[in-house]
Amino acid sequence: MTKTGLIVLALVLAAVCAGDSGRDGAVAADARSTRWSVAHIMRAAERGDARAQARLGRMYSIGSGVPQNYVLAAKWYHCAAERGHRGAEFQLGL
């Protein structure tokens, strides 16, 4: 293999490796971001924020960032509905 061929091969391998680690890094950052979001929403919901409670209800109902759990979804929708959140009232009615 020529010197130019080796250089091209080295560049291609470097790009492939960087692409994989970049993707893994993005996935890890996404997971950290999701954990932070869930924790932030959970704290706000526990403080009585109706929008956060409704959001948490939605997250539990579809399993977004948390394990799907219809009992917890109903609990958080109910909390939000008690505070007058119309969307939570609607979801709870479903």
Side-chain angles (χ1 to χ4, degrees):
M1 185 172 277
T2 66
K3 186 175 181 179
T4 304
L6 287 174
I7 291 172
V8 170
L9 179 61
L11 290 173
V12 169
L13 289 174
V16 168
C17 291
D20 286 345
S21 66
R23 185 186 73 230
D24 291 345
V27 169
D30 216 21
R32 283 190 301 274
S33 176
T34 300
R35 283 192 303 272
W36 181 87
S37 295
V38 170
H40 180 72
I41 293 166
M42 182 76 71
R43 280 192 304 274
E46 289 170 347
R47 283 192 314 262
D49 183 316
R51 288 188 318 166
Q53 291 170 339
R55 177 82 185 264
L56 199 52
R58 177 75 175 148
M59 292 169 73
Y60 274 114
S61 72
I62 64 173
S64 175
V66 294
Q68 190 173 40
N69 186 322
Y70 295 121
V71 173
L72 288 175
K75 171 198 168 191
W76 287 111
Y77 279 141
H78 180 71
C79 290
E82 283 184 332
R83 287 173 174 70
H85 192 282
R86 299 274 186 210
E89 290 174 1
F90 177 79
Q91 290 298 324
L92 197 53
L94 290 177

